[in-house]
């Protein structure tokens, strides 16, 4: 079974802090994704990566950056957290050889105060 | 631009009923379609993936169908149980892209 883990289930940070959210997958998937989910707005793609050190912007990349130094790990960075970044953050992974079926982690509920 | 719609937004049924959840999309040039389940405050669990060349997929009490020409997919749940209560999301993967475009979900309540 594919396993996608995220470093924290709940996180509370202050405005202006630098925040790191980490995601690890154990199935050697080449593709990894970061989404945020908000009531009424659904899931929106922030960034994705199709290989180590490769990244592409999704629909809402402003205020975020990402890092993928190893194939199994994909980090989302909030350079200077703001209250409008309070949200549920979901990581996913997929492999092209399985029709890109995406597998999700448990999510991180981030609150910025 | 691809748009994915799920109707109804919420559904309440008595235990044991067979039910159908609907998903429609505007652009038929899709790569795949995936159905997910999400429990409150949790991540998404993949239920079924239908490749663009397939018409349906089955897993246990779940059956998903795909009609690309009409831009529709349905998720059929047989003999519903209270444990099926969750939000069900469909998502479409487009050609030459890894991105999924999500519908807004159907919130299902199965009453004992």
């Amino acid at each position: 079974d594919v396993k996608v883990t995220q470093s924290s289930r709940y996180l509370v940070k202050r405005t202006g802090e630098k925040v790191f959210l980490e995601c690890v997958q154990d199935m050697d998937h080449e593709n990894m994704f970061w989404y945020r989910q908000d009531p009424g707005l659904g899931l929106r793609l922030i960034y994705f990566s199709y290989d180590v050190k490769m990244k592409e912007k999704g629909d809402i990349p402003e205020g975020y950056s990402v890092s993928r130094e190893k194939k199994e790990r994909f980090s989302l960075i909030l350079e200077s957290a703001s209250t409008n970044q309070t949200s549920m953050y979901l990581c996913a992974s997929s492999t092209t050889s399985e029709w890109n079926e995406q597998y999700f982690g448990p999510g991180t509920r981030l609150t910025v105060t | 631009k691809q748009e994915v719609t799920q109707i109804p937004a919420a559904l309440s049924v008595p235990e044991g009923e067979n039910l159908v959840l609907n998903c429609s999309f505007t652009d038929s040039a899709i790569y795949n379609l995936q159905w997910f389940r999400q429990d409150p405050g949790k991540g998404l669990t993949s239920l079924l993936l239908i490749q663009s060349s397939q018409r349906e997929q089955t897993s246990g009490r779940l059956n998903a169908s795909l009609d690309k020409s009409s831009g529709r997919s349905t998720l059929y749940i047989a003999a519903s149980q209270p444990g099926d209560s969750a939000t069900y999301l469909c998502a479409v993967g487009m050609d030459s892209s890894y991105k999924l475009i999500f519908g807004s979900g159907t919130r299902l309540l199965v009453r004992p």
Side-chain angles (χ1 to χ4, degrees), chain B residues 24-47:
Chain B
S24 61
F25 47 93
T26 55
D27 185 344
S28 62
I30 67 170
Y31 180 72
N32 63 20
L33 186 143
Q34 203 166 346
W35 281 93
F36 295 92
R37 168 191 173 131
Q38 186 175 31
D39 293 290
K42 302 286 180 64
L44 278 65
T45 300
S46 179
L47 297 173

Side-chain angles (χ1 to χ4, degrees), chain B residues 19-103:
Chain B
L19 58 100
V20 173
L21 305 181
N22 296 297
C23 173
S24 61
F25 47 93
T26 55
D27 185 344
S28 62
I30 67 170
Y31 180 72
N32 63 20
L33 186 143
Q34 203 166 346
W35 281 93
F36 295 92
R37 168 191 173 131
Q38 186 175 31
D39 293 290
K42 302 286 180 64
L44 278 65
T45 300
S46 179
L47 297 173
L48 290 164
L49 176 138
I50 308 178
Q51 301 167 19
S52 59
S53 57
Q54 296 178 323
R55 297 280 294 181
E56 66 178 330
Q57 280 284 351
T58 298
S59 177
R61 294 183 293 110
L62 305 179
N63 175 276
S65 67
L66 174 64
D67 184 343
K68 282 177 56 178
S69 61
S70 66
R72 293 173 59 183
S73 177
T74 60
L75 180 66
Y76 175 83
I77 303 177
S80 59
Q81 303 170 358
D84 294 330
S85 299
T87 296
Y88 290 81
L89 294 147
C90 74
V92 168
M94 301 304 295
D95 286 342
S96 303
S97 168
Y98 306 103
K99 298 194 295 184
L100 287 178
I101 300 162
F102 283 83

Side-chain angles (χ1 to χ4, degrees), chain A residues 89-104:
Chain A
Y89 289 88
L90 294 162
C91 174
S93 73
S94 75
T95 176
T96 307
S97 61
E98 291 179 7
W99 284 80
N100 283 329
E101 182 170 5
Q102 287 195 19
Y103 298 89
F104 280 76

